[in-house]
Amino acid sequence: MSDKTLKVALLGAGSVGSQVVRLLSEQADDLAARVGARVELAGVAVRNLDSKRDVEIPEHLLTTDADALVAREDVDVVIELIGGIEPARTLILSALKNGASVVTANKALVAADGPALFAAAAEAGRDLYYEAAVAGAIPILRPLRESLAGDRVTRVLGIVNGTTNFILDQMDTHGADFADALAEAQELGYAEADPTADVEGHDAAAKAAILASLAFHTRVNAEDVHCEGITKVTAFDASAAAAMGSVVKLLAIAELSDEQVSVRVHPAMIPLKHPLASVRGAYNAVFVESEAAGQLMFYGPGAGGAPTASAVLGDLVTVLRNRLSGTTGVGESAYADRAVRPMSETVTRYHVAIDVEDRAGVLAAVAQAFADNGVSIKIVRQEGRGDDAQLVVVSHQATDGQLSATVERLRGMDNVRDVTSVMRVEGEAE
Ligand SMILES: NC(=O)c1ccc[n+]([C@@H]2O[C@H](COP(=O)([O-])OP(=O)(O)OC[C@H]3O[C@@H](n4cnc5c(N)ncnc54)[C@H](O)[C@@H]3O)[C@@H](O)[C@H]2O)c1
Ligand SMILES: N[C@@H](CCO)C(=O)O
Ligand code: NA
């Protein structure tokens, strides 16, 4: 083992940061053996010195001056666990400029401004690793970046937000109230500082952008991702899914077709027999389809302090080994420069439930609305309800533009009383 001691500066000691401190201390000997040098905390930047923390941090390590900490010449690696765009961005850029490598879990920042960060790392000859940013503890970025680098990935389909999966699961299995389930996810440390990012789908969209960039060797940022969250998912949607032998999940989907990428996050019905249907609680799973390997599934804890810290420590060991041997890992691979397909041209399927008047010609008029938009119908089910009827229509594949135009037309029809549920259908053969 080298006599050198490698120094780590930690920014942020919240849910994830405090677990990183714990693991660095509890596993110090193993980490030293694996890295080939002792690993020591140089300092921990916090917002408030007196906050109550999940782990005890020696007082002399704490500072509220993150800028001064990243400017220290003896720091080899900066771990950024503050979250958000600023000051995280400026701190990471100055860490790289000062010659430190960086490990971060900050998907919001990587998805918003990845190329500038990767360029700064390349210019500095340092590493920027972010495995914890997508699907927490699950190794998914390195498999895409390294293990699958010789294959052609065509599709990534994932449950990548623990908070929303936890909420949907609690609503589905225990009939839980949305607000109670969200409060529990916050209590368990899964949710973002502002949980709007979780429930509106922005957190999953950031992860989808990162996955798509790595899978398809191109640049996709958060703004390229069509994003719908779970706030409009109702108990009726859940029961409509159950009636179809399906379950509602918030999916992140990145696809490559005709050399264009399409990237989207939205709730969708998936059949109970699909492997993603059994992903419960705050667990995540990412399904990868590639030309030679076929289907691969990566599954595990997608959120929470300790699981996320596991991914951070994994990156830390790699980055420190690189430091010792004077090398860096693989940088950005964005040579393919692919166009992003608009959502309206993305192919999907819809499940639509409508309340209609139960009289002659109504079914034909509804069918005509689908036909006029070029949408073929796969399943129609009708249930009588006094003078009304509930119609459930499941379409064949069509573009999202054709499908949403059909729903608009249904909403405007005199004999349609209400469109009670509109949900995309994924993970099912045509
Ligand atoms: N919690 C998870 O399950 C999870 C999983 C994967 C990735 N992440 C990511 O990890 C990062 C940290 O998440 P978290 O859950 O630990 O958040 P958190 O809110 O629990 O912790 C963030 C900490 O940073 C501190 N902080 C904010 N601004 C600061 C500043 N300028 N200087 C010093 N400290 C500052 C806050 O006081 C807080 O203690 C985020 O980027 C998040 O998206 C979290
Ligand atoms: N808030 C995120 C943390 C993991 O990135 C989630 O719930 O999945
Ligand atoms: Na991960």
Side-chain angles (χ1 to χ4, degrees), residues 11-18 45-48 51 53 63-64 66 80-84 86-88 91 104-108 132-136 188-193 203 207 302-305 308:
L11 312 180
S15 300
V16 184
S18 58
V46 294
R47 198 152 43 184
N48 182 347
S51 290
R53 272 172 261 282
T63 174
T64 53
E80 184 276 309
L81 295 172
I82 288 172
E86 285 295 352
L91 289 165
T104 179
N106 193 334
K107 54 266 167 153
V134 180
L188 291 165
Y190 306 146
E192 294 303 300
D203 177 81
K207 293 164 176 168
T308 307

Side-chain angles (χ1 to χ4, degrees), residues 60-361:
H60 72 278
L61 291 178
L62 291 174
T63 174
T64 53
D65 192 347
D67 294 302
L69 182 58
V70 300
R72 268 173 57 169
E73 279 186 3
D74 59 338
V75 168
D76 298 286
V77 177
V78 170
I79 301 179
E80 184 276 309
L81 295 172
I82 288 172
I85 305 297
E86 285 295 352
R89 182 179 183 281
T90 302
L91 289 165
I92 288 177
L93 290 174
S94 49
L96 291 166
K97 210 162 176 200
N98 289 333
S101 288
V102 171
V103 174
T104 179
N106 193 334
K107 54 266 167 153
L109 178 59
V110 174
D113 212 10
L117 303 177
F118 305 139
E123 192 174 325
R126 293 292 181 253
D127 279 322
L128 172 65
Y129 273 51
Y130 50 100
E131 180 61 73
V134 180
I138 306 174
I140 178 65
L141 302 191
R142 232 158 324 153
L144 284 173
R145 203 206 289 242
E146 296 177 19
S147 324
L148 289 164
D151 204 342
R152 178 180 167 86
V153 176
T154 50
R155 192 159 189 253
V156 181
L157 180 70
I159 293 172
V160 294
N161 182 269
T163 301
T164 48
N165 200 57
F166 181 85
I167 293 172
L168 290 173
D169 194 28
Q170 293 288 99
M171 287 168 73
D172 186 45
T173 48
H174 307 297
D177 179 55
F178 183 94
D180 290 345
L182 171 59
E184 200 178 340
Q186 287 178 290
E187 182 64 25
L188 291 165
Y190 306 146
E192 294 303 300
D194 175 2
T196 318
D198 295 298
V199 297
E200 296 294 356
H202 304 141
D203 177 81
K207 293 164 176 168
I210 294 171
L211 288 169
S213 302
L214 289 169
F216 307 135
H217 300 271
T218 188
R219 284 181 176 170
V220 177
N221 70 32
E223 285 175 7
D224 296 322
V225 183
H226 173 87
C227 174
E228 296 169 34
I230 64 163
T231 51
K232 294 189 185 122
V233 176
T234 61
F236 182 78
D237 293 326
S239 64
M244 298 293 298
S246 296
V247 63
V248 177
K249 294 285 187 190
L250 184 69
L251 298 182
I253 304 170
E255 289 166 320
L256 177 67
S257 63
D258 300 329
E259 299 309 316
Q260 287 190 332
V261 295
S262 95
V263 193
R264 53 199 166 109
V265 166
H266 54 69
M269 287 182 184
I270 51 167
L272 288 169
K273 61 178 188 291
H274 192 283
L276 288 179
S278 56
V279 177
R280 313 296 288 271
Y283 276 75
N284 283 188
V286 184
F287 213 73
V288 178
E289 294 174 12
S290 72
E291 207 160 272
Q295 295 183 325
L296 303 159
M297 172 121 147
F298 300 82
Y299 171 81
T308 307
S310 162
V312 170
L313 268 279
D315 279 353
L316 178 68
V317 168
T318 303
V319 163
L320 289 173
R321 284 174 177 157
N322 289 346
R323 282 301 291 234
L324 274 184
S325 55
T327 62
T328 56
V330 196
E332 188 189 24
S333 170
Y335 68 91
D337 195 19
R338 302 183 196 280
V340 177
R341 189 189 298 269
M343 185 62 190
S344 60
E345 291 170 25
T346 295
V347 172
T348 180
R349 295 172 54 204
Y350 273 25
H351 170 289
V352 184
I354 45 183
D355 283 346
V356 294
E357 290 175 38
D358 194 2
R359 61 176 177 76

